[in-house]
Amino acid sequence: MSALTVEEARSPETAPDALAGFTIGVTATRRREEFCALLERRGARVVSAPAIRLVPLAEDTDLLAATRRSLEAPVDDVVVTTGVGFRGWMAAAEGWGLSAELSEHLTRARLLTRGPKARGAVRAAGLNDHWTPATESCEEVKQHLLAQDLRGRRIAVQLHGEPLTGFVAELRAAGADVIEVPVYRWLPYRDTSPLRRLVSQAISGGVDAVAFTSAPAVLAMLGSARADGLEDALLAAFGGRVVAACVGPVTAQPLVAKGVPVLQPERSRLGALARTLARHLPEHSVTRLVAGGHELEIRGHAVAVDGELKPLPPAPMAVLKRLADKPGHVVPRSELRTVLPGGATRDSAEHAVEMAVTRLRRALGPGGIVETVVKRGYRLATHRGDGL
């Protein structure tokens, strides 16, 4: 890996190594390669763990039934929640020979698009959109509709992978005849092992952030952790050192509901999410100190020594982070044993600590950064204190 200067690290919008030294878990399925590339171009180490898969319902009887019901009478409003979903609906209708009739009905309706992608899909189909909320949220769409007299209005709601139970119930309570249009469905990813590994990495501190691009992916990760009895530990990790980064408020909602602090970009876009991470992690997830006369920047899996980035294996990094928690104070070997990855007996753990310190010193390069205090343990040479 190329050297990283401190000045470059603090210019994330332009520095190609803004995320160097950080590990980010990515749960996306759609556009996964694109998003991973955005992070890797900024120097991040990416752990890909697809959480869900999208299953089109072109052959689904529920979608056909909803389409036919929409065609039984004029539709007053159509809520378009996703661009991919709307395009899928139009493609399915074409396959059934219902495309022209559906387009005619939609032309006469008010099309409420949840965001720019949905609006773009509507316009690409040669239709006119009526209104798009500033927040790109279903909640604002719902409030926009509820502010009107909905008695007797026929409203088609294109679902986005999961039921909008509360949304639909409130419209019906207001007197609307709601048609739910299930265009596709989210299912767990076929191979769940990468997601389960990511849960373990988040809990152990093996990743610095986990990025989510859909609410179903959040629910899938929480569900995977729950199945293994690890949900509380995962939530604790997200409440601590691991950043939960979400592309927008809809994606963030399941985490917010559990009290998890969430990092979000101002605009719900993949590029904006990558830029937000590139600003946030160097500012908030870096420990900066001076030891042995050298400037250290401790990141997720690397340390910058006088501006030069040096990747570290898990054991030496775990030792360095624990020493940095108490700069200048002696940390006994018995305490350092507890942070080493994997289990070990007392004797082997004692040796493992010594080996981790040796590898840490070798990786850091300059001498004098990590000091040995005979019969007591180790410390970073900041000399801010001398007690345990």
Side-chain angles (χ1 to χ4, degrees):
M1 183 179 294
S2 60
L4 170 70
T5 68
V6 174
E7 182 177 355
E8 287 173 334
R10 294 173 182 170
S11 303
E13 297 298 332
T14 57
D17 290 335
L19 288 173
F22 293 110
T23 302
I24 300 174
V26 172
T27 59
T29 302
R30 292 182 59 247
R31 302 178 68 189
R32 178 173 72 246
E33 292 80 6
E34 175 187 350
F35 185 49
C36 289
L38 288 172
L39 298 173
E40 288 170 345
R41 280 203 296 269
R42 289 170 167 82
R45 176 189 293 172
V46 175
V47 176
S48 181
I52 51 177
R53 56 191 172 97
L54 184 150
V55 180
L57 301 182
E59 303 300 326
D60 193 276
T61 56
D62 290 343
L63 176 57
L64 178 57
T67 303
R68 285 177 171 163
R69 187 181 166 202
S70 299
L71 298 177
E72 289 175 355
V75 176
D76 298 295
D77 302 282
V78 179
V79 178
V80 182
T81 58
T82 63
V84 65
F86 185 77
R87 289 191 296 270
W89 188 16
M90 298 301 291
E94 184 175 12
W96 297 323
L98 299 174
S99 178
E101 190 176 356
L102 179 59
S103 294
E104 183 179 352
H105 270 65
L106 297 182
T107 299
R108 298 172 183 171
R110 297 190 312 170
L111 302 184
L112 311 179
T113 55
R114 183 172 64 89
K117 293 179 182 178
R119 183 175 61 219
V122 166
R123 293 179 179 179
L127 300 168
N128 295 319
D129 54 287
H130 175 75
W131 178 80
T132 302
T135 60
E136 302 182 25
S137 71
C138 287
E139 178 64 25
E140 190 174 352
V141 174
K142 182 186 72 177
Q143 295 303 329
H144 178 78
L145 287 168
L146 291 176
Q148 307 164 44
D149 185 358
L150 299 183
R151 288 174 295 181
R153 294 188 70 84
R154 300 186 81 230
I155 303 176
V157 179
Q158 176 243 308
L159 307 181
H160 53 76
E162 56 185 4
L164 293 172
T165 307
F167 184 102
V168 170
E170 291 193 49
L171 297 186
R172 285 175 175 158
D177 177 15
V178 181
I179 306 164
E180 298 177 76
V181 183
V183 181
Y184 55 82
R185 182 178 298 128
W186 294 111
L187 294 177
Y189 202 71
R190 290 183 178 87
D191 183 3
T192 62
S193 55
L195 185 61
R196 295 177 67 189
R197 283 196 297 270
L198 180 57
V199 169
S200 297
Q201 287 174 289
I203 293 171
S204 66
V207 296
D208 303 289
V210 178
F212 299 98
T213 57
S214 71
V218 175
L219 294 171
M221 187 170 189
L222 293 176
S224 177
R226 189 180 312 117
D228 290 335
L230 298 173
E231 184 178 19
D232 288 344
L234 179 62
L235 293 174
F238 283 144
R241 289 189 172 183
V242 181
V243 175
C246 296
V247 73
V250 175
T251 298
Q253 197 280 327
L255 290 172
V256 172
K258 291 183 176 293
V260 172
V262 175
L263 178 70
Q264 299 179 54
E266 292 184 2
R267 300 179 69 243
S268 300
R269 301 289 182 274
L270 293 183
L273 180 57
R275 289 192 296 273
T276 299
L277 281 165
R279 284 193 299 269
H280 181 87
L281 289 178
E283 291 177 4
H284 300 279
S285 299
V286 172
T287 299
R288 296 182 174 89
L289 50 85
V290 176
H294 300 277
E295 293 185 356
L296 305 186
E297 280 195 359
I298 303 170
R299 299 183 166 217
H301 62 262
V303 56
V305 181
D306 297 328
E308 183 181 355
L309 196 73
K310 299 172 180 290
L312 291 177
M317 176 55 78
V319 168
L320 177 60
K321 287 182 176 179
R322 181 52 60 93
L323 295 177
D325 286 340
K326 302 177 179 180
H329 290 250
V330 177
V331 181
R333 290 181 177 84
S334 59
E335 184 175 331
L336 292 176
R337 284 201 304 266
T338 66
V339 304
L340 294 180
T345 64
R346 179 182 178 88
D347 291 340
S348 64
E350 192 83 17
H351 177 68
V353 169
E354 294 176 0
M355 290 300 299
V357 171
T358 298
R359 296 174 70 189
L360 174 60
R361 285 171 167 156
R362 186 183 304 127
L364 292 175
I369 295 176
V370 178
E371 295 181 330
T372 300
V373 180
V374 179
K375 296 184 179 180
R376 295 177 61 192
Y378 303 94
R379 68 181 174 191
L380 290 180
T382 59
H383 301 294
R384 294 182 183 174
D386 195 39
L388 291 174

